[in-house]
Amino acid sequence: MYETIASPIDYGGIRLKNRIIFAPTTLGLKGEAYREKIRQIAAGGCAMIILGDVPVSKHGFGQSLFTAKGFAAYRELTDLIHAENCLACAQLHQSDSNVKAMLKYVPGVLSKKISMEDLRPLLNQEVSPYICGLSTRKIKQITDSFGRAAVQARKAGFDMVQIHGDRMCGSFASPVFNHRTDEYGGSVENRIRFAVEAVKAVRLQAPDLPIDFKLAVRQENPHYGNAGVLAEELSVVVPALERAGVTSFHVALANHSSLEDTIPPASHPYFGKEGCFLPYCDLVRRYTRLPVCGVGGLTRPDFVEEQLSQGRIDCAAMSRQLIADPS
């Protein structure tokens, strides 16, 4: 029973003991409570845990790989994970939030005149002017930082890195946000250049490190997701990322939309069904033979086993299921 779920696989250069991956998730926990939850999830038997939003620079949201305290925290987590016969992946992340622009909303948030639900679209309005205003010199510094972060991640004990293909990578990829007229804007080849250069930087500085790519897909008719790439652009995007050095793809809906879309409940009008994002995996499959990990609404073991055994996906990523019942 569940033979495929339990079977090992070579996932982009690392051997996973089974096909279940813990998807990068904000747990809302700190310190010992966070470490214990991660340990429980690893002990529950999943093959790999992806730790989300690992900043690629010293200054950013979350613990930094470039500070003694941050590095030690990640080292402790990878040791905890490895002790439970589980692998660890660092999701390398570059925010597209303009910190200076964000400051003007702080008084409203503190006074509760601006709710957290109101804040998200306000911050999204700041993305386009921010990424469009970046100089090519600054862009190069950012993409190079993915490579330096990958080196630090390996030193901290991570077995793989995942490039967060949403956030700055996804915003550059999408004409919703990217209105540049230079080599980083316009055609899909130009808009994906930021992500391609980030991957190349990792491959250059960590030649043998497996690189997973969180591929953010957005869609129209109906409209869901603002960052990321459209389905019809995958024929260009997927081969370009593979040539750059990606070794596997983690396929999801693009963010910069309601969390109810990106982490949809069963009552969602469009993404309420089991395996809600797997049609995007089907599209990615057309353009690569690399391993593909599916995510979104993978709740029933029988359904997951069927998708894996049929080869629709190679691995299944989930979070709420493993948080609620880590064993």
Side-chain angles (χ1 to χ4, degrees):
M1 191 174 187
Y2 306 132
E3 288 86 359
T4 313
I5 289 177
S7 64
I9 186 174
D10 183 321
Y11 186 73
I14 57 174
R15 183 173 174 81
L16 300 183
K17 64 182 181 182
N18 60 50
R19 307 299 183 91
I20 303 300
I21 294 173
F22 180 70
T25 308
T26 300
L27 298 178
L29 301 172
K30 295 182 179 181
E32 186 56 37
Y34 176 74
R35 289 188 290 272
E36 176 57 19
K37 176 57 72 173
I38 292 295
R39 188 202 65 77
Q40 290 175 0
I41 293 169
C46 66
M48 183 166 69
I49 291 177
I50 304 175
L51 297 182
D53 294 349
V54 177
V56 298
S57 64
K58 185 174 181 179
H59 305 289
F61 301 100
Q63 296 270 24
S64 173
L65 285 162
F66 296 94
T67 66
K69 183 179 179 180
F71 184 89
Y74 286 121
R75 178 83 250 188
E76 184 174 6
L77 286 169
T78 59
D79 286 345
L80 282 172
I81 293 168
H82 289 152
E84 302 295 347
N85 190 29
C86 182
L87 299 185
C89 174
Q91 184 190 63
L92 302 183
H93 165 266
Q94 172 59 45
S95 174
D96 55 6
S97 296
N98 186 342
V99 177
K100 292 181 179 179
M102 290 170 61
L103 293 177
K104 66 184 177 184
Y105 299 119
V106 171
V109 172
L110 293 177
S111 65
K112 298 185 178 180
K113 292 180 179 179
I114 300 176
S115 69
M116 296 309 293
E117 290 76 16
D118 296 331
L119 183 61
R120 189 178 184 87
L122 291 173
L123 295 181
N124 285 345
Q125 293 174 16
E126 306 292 345
V127 171
S128 181
Y130 178 50
I131 68 165
C132 292
L134 289 172
S135 67
T136 54
R137 178 174 174 272
K138 181 61 176 178
I139 292 172
K140 180 63 174 174
Q141 290 176 348
I142 295 173
T143 55
D144 283 350
S145 69
F146 278 84
R148 293 190 293 272
V151 172
Q152 287 297 100
R154 165 151 280 181
K155 291 178 181 178
F158 286 99
D159 305 285
M160 171 180 259
V161 295
Q162 179 187 87
I163 304 294
H164 198 323
D166 210 321
R167 297 305 165 198
M168 190 167 279
C169 285
S171 293
F172 264 93
S174 171
V176 174
F177 294 119
N178 185 349
H179 306 146
R180 298 178 70 103
T181 57
D182 61 1
E183 65 267 37
Y184 290 95
S187 68
V188 62
E189 291 86 354
N190 282 357
R191 287 184 277 112
I192 199 65
R193 190 184 303 274
F194 180 94
V196 166
E197 290 183 356
V199 174
K200 286 182 176 179
V202 174
R203 181 54 63 234
L204 178 64
Q205 298 195 47
D208 60 343
L209 185 64
I211 305 173
D212 195 37
F213 191 91
K214 182 181 177 182
L215 183 53
V217 183
R218 66 187 185 90
Q219 69 170 57
E220 299 295 348
N221 302 315
H223 174 87
Y224 285 107
N226 293 320
V229 298
L230 290 169
E232 52 265 36
E233 296 174 327
L234 290 171
S235 61
V236 174
V237 171
V238 172
L241 291 170
E242 185 171 342
R243 289 193 299 270
V246 166
T247 58
S248 57
F249 289 98
H250 180 110
V251 184
L253 178 72
N255 211 321
H256 285 293
S257 55
S258 169
L259 286 178
E260 288 197 351
D261 296 336
T262 53
I263 311 175
S267 59
H268 193 283
Y270 194 84
F271 297 115
K273 295 182 179 180
E274 191 83 7
C276 56
F277 300 149
L278 294 189
Y280 301 139
C281 294
D282 298 336
L283 296 173
V284 172
R285 280 283 197 203
R286 297 179 184 178
Y287 308 112
T288 185
R289 294 184 178 180
L290 294 178
V292 174
C293 180
V295 66
L298 300 175
T299 62
R300 293 192 297 107
D302 289 346
F303 178 83
V304 174
E305 174 69 19
E306 181 180 14
Q307 309 314 303
L308 291 168
S309 64
Q310 293 178 352
R312 189 179 189 186
I313 52 176
D314 297 289
C315 289
M318 56 190 70
S319 58
R320 285 179 292 188
Q321 299 85 338
L322 300 180
I323 294 170
D325 184 10
S327 62

